[in-house]
């Protein structure tokens, strides 16, 4: 697999280097220089494949012979040990449940694969004595800014992996109680920094660290945000899975709706479409953080500070994967508009949707999924489209957001045991201000 930097197309690398490195040297994101087209036989056989078999085909197509087939299959089968069930909510509208992994959010797919790819890559480079520019010897420090779900998925994916330390930055007071427990109770090689600021501050701190040459010389550092290509690629897998699970007659006109924050999840879907998956339309569902919907409307991209909403994992004012989407469509907003519609959903409408869907269909959704469901309803009305099959990506288990939805549902949401376990543990975190020098001092304290 060949990748180029979104900042300069002449800067190139391979998959494992990109995975270990995170961000390119010039601060750009790594982007595949082309996407493979999957063979007609793959699509013919898709409905009969289980998740890991499908995943193995797709990842093989992405990565090619850079990882020997049997090694890649091992990584894939080790990472994807849970499925993405498709649940019918109402006529022609489905939820693709992406929360059956260990931390109950879709990020488990990307994080688990990335953790395994990073360990594998580090070992290969050590054997070959061929290290990417950032890979100093010593522990690899994985920095991750999280608005809630990324941190726990990454922490879980990397927990106890030798030679790796994970440092999570999260905005103090802006993640749910259960999310905070997931971030701060793992211990071992996982540390949590509680930043007195917003998610955008956390993301900016991480970006600054990668541009700090002095730090990069002293520490082996990589990023686990959706800017990491190894996290992004697996996020196309469940779009294939959804199609294979649909009744045949409902695959004709297919609309996917992705609740979006940093736009990594929807980028996975856009990749899947370019690889040949027959998807008619994408709906990017945003909460009040409407940078992307405004961009599609006005043609001008203007980053904004993020605002807090009930769907906190989508509180992003400057979506990091925007650069990749632009490249995917060669900078043509017209081309993007042809495939992607975007809606911004108000907080009240989100909570109202949680209540309505539960009342009408007995289905309890997390606030992020509700933003997606509300966007589908708005789409159906505005575009007068009742015929298409719509699949909403259910991005997290509703119990992760009990304090948001229980007050409006007026009843408790059942908590799966793998979440309840975290709630019983004790929080350990270090508080810092959103000032880069404080992050740097923390990172260098044991060096
Ligand atoms: C991360 C997250 C999102 C947003 O996904 P992006 O890839 O950042 O667009 C949506 N919902 C949940 C529950 C999340 O954890």
């Amino acid at each position: 697999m060949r990748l180029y930097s979104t900042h300069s197309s002449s800067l190139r690398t391979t998959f494992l280097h990109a995975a270990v490195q995170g961000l390119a040297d010039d601060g750009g994101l790594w982007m595949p220089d082309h996407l493979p087209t999957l063979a007609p036989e793959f699509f013919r056989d898709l409905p009969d494949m289980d998740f890991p078999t499908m995943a193995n085909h797709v990842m093989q197509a992405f990565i090619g012979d850079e990882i020997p087939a049997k090694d890649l299959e091992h990584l894939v089968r080790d990472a994807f040990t849970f499925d993405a069930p498709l649940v019918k909510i109402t006529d022609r509208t489905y939820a693709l449940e992406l929360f059956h992994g260990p931390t109950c959010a879709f990020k488990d797919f990307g994080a688990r694969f990335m953790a395994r790819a990073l360990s594998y890559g580090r070992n290969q480079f050590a054997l070959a004595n061929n290290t990417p520019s950032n890979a100093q010897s010593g522990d690899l420090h994985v920095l991750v800014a999280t608005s809630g779900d990324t941190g726990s998925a990454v922490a879980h994916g990397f927990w106890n992996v030798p030679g790796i330390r994970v440092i999570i930055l999260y905005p103090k007071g802006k993640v749910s109680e259960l999310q905070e427990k997931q971030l701060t109770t793992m211990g071992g090689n996982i540390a949590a920094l509680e930043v007195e600021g917003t998610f955008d501050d956390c993301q900016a701190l991480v970006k600054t660290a990668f541009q700090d040459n002095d730090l990069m010389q002293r520490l082996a550092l990589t990023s686990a945000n959706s800017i990491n290509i190894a996290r992004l690629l697996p996020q196309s897998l469940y779009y294939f899975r959804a199609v294979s699970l649909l009744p045949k007659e409902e695959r004709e006109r297919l609309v996917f709706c992705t609740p979006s924050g940093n736009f990594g999840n929807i980028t996975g879907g856009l990749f899947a479409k370019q690889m040949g998956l027959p998807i008619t339309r994408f709906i990017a569902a945003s909460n009040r953080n409407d940078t992307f919907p405004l961009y599609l409307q006005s043609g001008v991209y203007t980053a904004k500070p993020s605002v807090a909403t009930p769907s906190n994992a989508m509180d992003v004012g400057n979506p990091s994967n925007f650069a990749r989407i632009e490249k995917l469509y060669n900078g043509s907003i017209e081309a993007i508009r042809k495939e992607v519609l975007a809606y911004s959903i108000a907080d009240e409408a989100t909570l109202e949707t949680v209540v309505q869907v539960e009342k009408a269909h007995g289905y309890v959704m997390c606030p992020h999924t509700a933003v997606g469901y509300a966007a589908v309803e708005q789409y159906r009305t505005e575009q007068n489209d009742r015929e298409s099959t719509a699949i909403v990506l259910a991005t997290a288990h509703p119990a992760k957001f009990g304090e948001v939805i229980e007050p409006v549902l007026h009843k408790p949401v059942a908590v799966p045991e793998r979440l309840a376990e975290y709630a019983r543990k004790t929080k350990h975190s270090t508080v810092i201000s959103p000032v880069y020098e404080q992050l740097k001092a923390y990172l260098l304290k044991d060096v």
Side-chain angles (χ1 to χ4, degrees):
M1 177 175 210
R2 300 291 300 168
L3 302 106
Y4 67 91
S5 162
T6 52
H7 282 187
S8 65
S9 55
S10 59
L11 188 57
R12 297 194 160 245
T13 196
T14 55
F15 171 73
L16 285 174
H17 275 79
V20 171
Q21 204 182 16
L23 221 54
D25 283 330
D26 64 359
L29 307 187
W30 290 118
M31 179 74 186
D33 72 354
H34 81 285
L35 290 168
T37 316
L38 292 158
E41 300 80 61
F42 168 79
F43 290 103
R44 186 194 62 210
D45 298 341
L46 182 59
D48 301 319
M49 292 181 195
D50 61 12
F51 193 105
T53 305
M54 171 278 294
N56 190 41
H57 274 89
V58 177
M59 296 308 288
Q60 196 96 58
F62 272 133
I63 296 171
D65 55 11
E66 189 183 335
I67 301 179
K70 67 171 190 349
D71 292 353
L72 183 59
E73 176 157 13
H74 178 77
L75 295 183
V76 164
R77 291 196 180 271
D78 199 39
F80 307 120
T81 50
F82 45 90
D83 208 341
L86 192 62
V87 176
K88 188 165 195 153
I89 300 182
T90 178
D91 199 30
R92 297 225 167 238
T93 303
Y94 291 82
L96 181 66
E97 293 188 344
L98 303 178
F99 50 71
H100 294 274
T103 73
C104 298
F106 81 85
K107 298 199 170 72
D108 283 324
F109 286 95
R112 285 174 66 84
F113 184 76
M114 183 186 65
R116 285 154 184 79
L118 275 190
S119 294
Y120 181 85
R122 288 273 285 177
N123 286 336
Q124 294 303 106
F125 296 143
L127 287 174
N129 220 344
N130 159 23
T131 45
S133 59
N134 69 326
Q136 309 297 312
S137 54
D139 281 358
L140 180 64
H141 291 63
V142 178
L143 274 192
V144 53
T146 184
S147 56
D149 287 334
T150 301
S152 55
V154 168
H156 207 282
F158 281 103
W159 193 62
N160 271 348
V161 175
I164 292 189
R165 281 185 56 193
V166 177
I167 299 101
I168 302 169
L169 291 83
Y170 73 96
K172 183 180 170 74
K174 294 193 177 65
V175 303
S176 82
E177 244 168 77
L178 207 55
Q179 282 179 323
E180 183 168 42
K181 282 294 179 82
Q182 286 185 301
L183 298 174
T184 57
T185 61
M186 303 270 321
N189 60 331
I190 315 292
L193 292 181
E194 205 173 340
V195 178
E196 293 174 310
T198 62
F199 169 65
D200 289 338
D201 292 325
C202 297
Q203 203 154 248
L205 286 173
V206 170
K207 282 203 176 134
T208 309
F210 285 106
Q211 284 152 14
D212 178 350
N213 286 331
D214 174 57
L215 181 74
M216 299 294 281
Q217 307 249 306
R218 294 159 75 182
L219 274 190
L221 202 64
T222 193
S223 157
N225 278 100
S226 52
I227 54 179
N228 193 304
I229 191 71
R231 254 190 71 190
L232 193 74
L233 299 180
Q235 291 175 181
S236 61
L237 297 175
Y238 34 74
Y239 291 87
F240 290 94
R241 183 66 178 152
V243 173
S244 78
L245 292 172
L246 269 181
K248 208 170 175 176
E249 64 281 5
E250 293 188 47
R251 288 182 213 143
E252 291 290 296
R253 281 186 49 83
L254 191 54
V255 175
F256 273 95
C257 177
T258 311
S260 295
N262 262 321
F263 283 71
N265 204 6
I266 196 167
T267 302
L270 300 174
F271 280 13
K273 174 160 186 174
Q274 291 214 352
M275 293 169 86
L277 194 65
I279 299 171
T280 314
R281 267 284 171 61
F282 289 89
I283 300 172
S286 296
N287 57 28
R288 280 190 297 120
N289 293 280
D290 56 358
T291 302
F292 190 79
L294 287 182
Y295 160 73
L296 285 193
Q297 263 170 41
S298 70
V300 183
Y301 181 86
T302 313
K304 305 183 180 187
S306 60
V307 292
T309 76
S311 49
N312 66 16
M314 293 156 55
D315 293 348
V316 182
N318 187 11
S320 54
N321 283 289
F322 177 72
R324 284 199 173 106
I325 295 178
E326 244 194 332
K327 291 288 177 199
L328 196 60
Y329 293 93
N330 296 317
S332 159
I333 187 167
E334 287 315 320
I336 301 176
R337 281 179 178 143
K338 256 198 206 147
E339 294 195 346
V340 188
L341 293 172
Y343 297 99
S344 162
I345 305 297
D347 296 357
E348 308 75 52
T350 302
L351 297 176
E352 184 63 16
T353 301
V354 172
V355 173
Q356 285 307 323
V357 174
E358 197 277 333
K359 219 189 237 161
H361 311 293
Y363 189 79
V364 178
M365 41 181 58
C366 89
H368 311 79
T369 309
V371 169
Y373 195 88
V376 166
E377 293 195 314
Q378 194 174 333
Y379 162 80
R380 288 213 192 271
T381 308
E382 276 184 17
Q383 303 284 319
N384 194 20
D385 179 358
R386 309 277 153 197
E387 274 68 58
S388 294
T389 301
I391 297 179
V392 180
L393 272 56
T395 49
H397 192 289
K400 281 189 103 164
F401 303 92
E403 67 239 61
V404 177
I405 61 174
E406 285 178 352
V408 293
L409 286 173
H410 301 296
K411 57 177 163 192
V413 177
V415 181
E417 178 49 31
R418 64 192 190 284
L419 281 183
E421 215 178 290
Y422 287 106
R424 294 189 287 267
K425 296 186 187 159
T426 313
K427 164 182 164 180
H428 293 283
S429 70
T430 304
V431 179
I432 66 165
S433 309
V435 173
Y436 176 64
E437 289 313 315
Q438 293 201 13
L439 172 63
K440 185 169 182 177
Y442 178 87
L443 292 173
L444 291 174
K445 71 181 175 1
D446 303 322
V447 175

